[in-house]
Amino acid sequence: MRIQIITAGTTGSVLPYTGLGHRLLAEGHDVELVVHAKFAASAGCCGLRVRPMETDPFEALMGVHSRLRKAGRSPGALLEFTRAAGRAAVSLADAIIDAADPKADLMLLSSIAAPAGRAVARYHGVDSMGVFLQPETPTAAFSPCLTALRGPSRLNRQRGRAVNAALDLLSAGVYRHLGRKLGFPGLSGGRERRDRERERWPIWHGFSPSVVARPRDWRPGLEVAGYWWPHECPSWEPPARLRDFLASGPPPVFVGFGSMMPGDPERLADLTVRALRLAGVRGVVQSGWAGLDAKDDDVITIGSVPHHWLMPWTAAAVHHAGAGTTAAGLRAGVPAVPVPVFTDQPWWAAHLVRLGAAPAALSYRDLTAERLASALRQAVGESAFAHRSAALARRLAKEDGAGVVARAIAAR
């Protein structure tokens, strides 16, 4: 089968699909991954064909978000961010239109790519399926992932519908743009969601049922597969400097904010070093998109290093609780200190606390060296967090999320 996987966004929104793509490749399918051009080299490792989208609106959007954090939540700042998000969505839609393969048998679409991707697939007469890293279908089982995590309640379905309606309203411009370009009059977010439900469009979710169980009130066709772990290139070697640091003392704490740009990297780096010193632990700080550069006798700053290799060497992980980084920490079986910044990150952070893999979620806005050090002392010093994290990692190791999706495709 000729399969095109289309995704977009940050590193955590791309790497899981390399694992899914390689699994489908191993099953004998002709697979192409469509991603932003900057990910093409890493995503195309070991024979996976990649079609790059030259436009990457999300890095610019992250920059706007970072600048506006300093301006506070004023109406003007919100309006500027909304306009930037609209421009990013239209740019992404055009990139997907250009990259789509009209000869494909199946398009697999991430949640970010799905609004444009479903319309483009329908235009070309190509079958499509959702492969989402976050749940977005309303349920009573939990609150929507763009809000604070709440336990089971009938109100959660109303909250989920309200969040989706707001997203559809914000996306009205991109749907009008798609409708004009593809000749689909009346295209809208609400109509697309209704069509998805009526057609029982299949969506497979790339997270573990041990972390977020499949809600009982979901319709048929909405399934939880398990994590799709990023592809591990066998030729990759860690920097000698990092190997030497890891071997020179006790397991360090990992600190990284991934693709987030939470502002003032110098302040964040200084705060991190002081927190590590107060907690009495060594640290490996990943520079990421924030551009962190932490310096101390017991702290090393690194560039891009696969989490699946690094995290098992660490005693705990301080991170922004993005879906991908959260999954990597759970896989490694190390306690977490989540410091969410925005979107779905507070929701995943709350799951880490609920699972007993983290002592608490810290607000980035109110983060201090003292608060971070206190959480680190708990995460590293109280053995219960390590035991629960290791037990969960053993459960995840028995799952085969990519295989579940591969079998579902074969059964179509």
Side-chain angles (χ1 to χ4, degrees), residues 1 11 20 57 69 83 115 124 126 128 161 165 208 211 228 267 285 289 296 342 350 363 377 388 407:
M1 186 180 291
T11 304
L20 181 59
R69 284 183 65 88
R83 287 172 174 169
H124 290 300
V126 175
S128 66
R161 294 187 190 106
S208 170
V211 178
W228 308 315
R267 172 190 171 274
V285 178
W289 288 16
D296 201 49
F342 72 150
S363 164
R377 281 192 288 265
R388 286 191 289 260
R407 290 189 289 274

Side-chain angles (χ1 to χ4, degrees), residues 346-395:
W347 194 83
W348 288 114
H351 276 291
L352 287 171
V353 176
R354 177 185 62 83
L355 291 165
L362 304 181
S363 164
Y364 177 80
R365 184 181 295 272
D366 301 322
L367 189 64
T368 65
E370 291 73 20
R371 286 173 179 158
L372 181 54
S374 177
L376 278 172
R377 281 192 288 265
Q378 279 186 275
V380 175
E382 297 181 18
S383 60
F385 294 109
H387 291 325
R388 286 191 289 260
S389 298
L392 184 53
R394 288 192 292 270
R395 292 206 300 273

Side-chain angles (χ1 to χ4, degrees), residues 19-326:
L20 181 59
H22 274 279
R23 180 56 177 265
L24 295 174
L25 196 64
E27 297 285 336
H29 298 288
D30 178 6
V31 183
E32 180 177 72
L33 179 62
V34 177
V35 293
H36 302 314
K38 68 181 177 186
F39 294 117
S42 57
C45 167
C46 307
L48 183 63
R49 195 169 76 254
V50 172
R51 181 175 298 194
M53 293 186 290
E54 296 303 326
T55 302
D56 180 5
F58 288 95
E59 190 166 357
L61 184 60
M62 290 291 184
V64 171
H65 177 264
S66 179
R67 291 198 312 273
L68 294 182
R69 284 183 65 88
K70 299 176 182 178
R73 299 180 180 180
S74 68
L78 180 60
L79 180 60
E80 183 180 347
F81 184 76
T82 301
R83 287 172 174 169
R87 292 192 298 271
V90 169
S91 180
L92 176 62
D94 285 338
I96 291 174
I97 290 172
D98 292 340
D101 179 7
K103 295 181 180 179
D105 299 303
L106 178 66
M107 288 185 187
L108 301 182
L109 305 171
S110 73
S111 56
I112 296 174
R118 244 178 68 87
V120 173
R122 188 164 68 250
Y123 175 81
H124 290 300
V126 175
D127 198 8
S128 66
M129 188 167 83
V131 280
F132 291 5
L133 299 180
Q134 300 92 352
E136 66 167 42
T137 303
T139 173
F142 46 74
S143 52
C145 68
L146 294 181
T147 67
L149 180 63
R150 295 180 175 90
S153 167
R154 287 178 295 178
L155 290 175
N156 284 333
R157 274 194 292 267
Q158 298 177 25
R159 295 182 181 111
R161 294 187 190 106
V163 167
N164 286 346
L167 291 174
D168 293 340
L169 182 63
L170 290 173
S171 303
V174 72
Y175 281 110
R176 287 194 298 270
H177 179 76
L178 279 168
R180 288 193 298 268
K181 291 203 75 168
L182 301 178
F184 292 152
L187 192 66
S188 71
R191 178 177 172 180
E192 275 295 292
R193 289 188 195 277
R194 289 191 295 272
D195 287 347
R196 273 167 46 171
E197 295 305 297
R198 178 176 51 80
E199 298 167 8
R200 293 194 169 183
W201 189 60
I203 302 175
W204 287 92
H205 295 84
F207 48 78
S208 170
S210 295
V211 178
V212 181
R214 182 191 184 277
R216 293 181 180 179
D217 59 358
W218 270 3
R219 63 162 171 83
L222 300 174
E223 305 295 343
V224 176
Y227 285 115
W228 308 315
W229 303 117
H231 177 66
E232 302 176 8
C233 289
S235 61
W236 182 84
E237 289 288 339
R241 175 170 161 267
L242 174 58
R243 273 195 182 278
D244 292 344
F245 180 82
L246 293 171
S248 68
V253 167
F254 168 83
V255 181
F257 288 86
S259 303
M260 296 299 99
M261 291 186 282
D264 199 347
E266 291 184 8
R267 172 190 171 274
L268 184 56
D270 179 66
L271 182 155
T272 298
V273 168
R274 287 190 291 118
L276 293 169
R277 193 181 300 139
L278 286 170
V281 294
R282 304 197 308 151
V284 174
V285 178
Q286 194 161 42
S287 58
W289 288 16
L292 298 184
D293 185 14
K295 296 172 181 170
D296 201 49
D297 291 342
D298 287 327
V299 179
I300 185 175
T301 297
I302 60 171
S304 178
V305 172
H307 287 160
H308 73 261
W309 183 90
L310 175 59
M311 283 194 177
W313 291 90
T314 65
V318 179
H319 58 76
H320 59 296
T325 311
T326 296

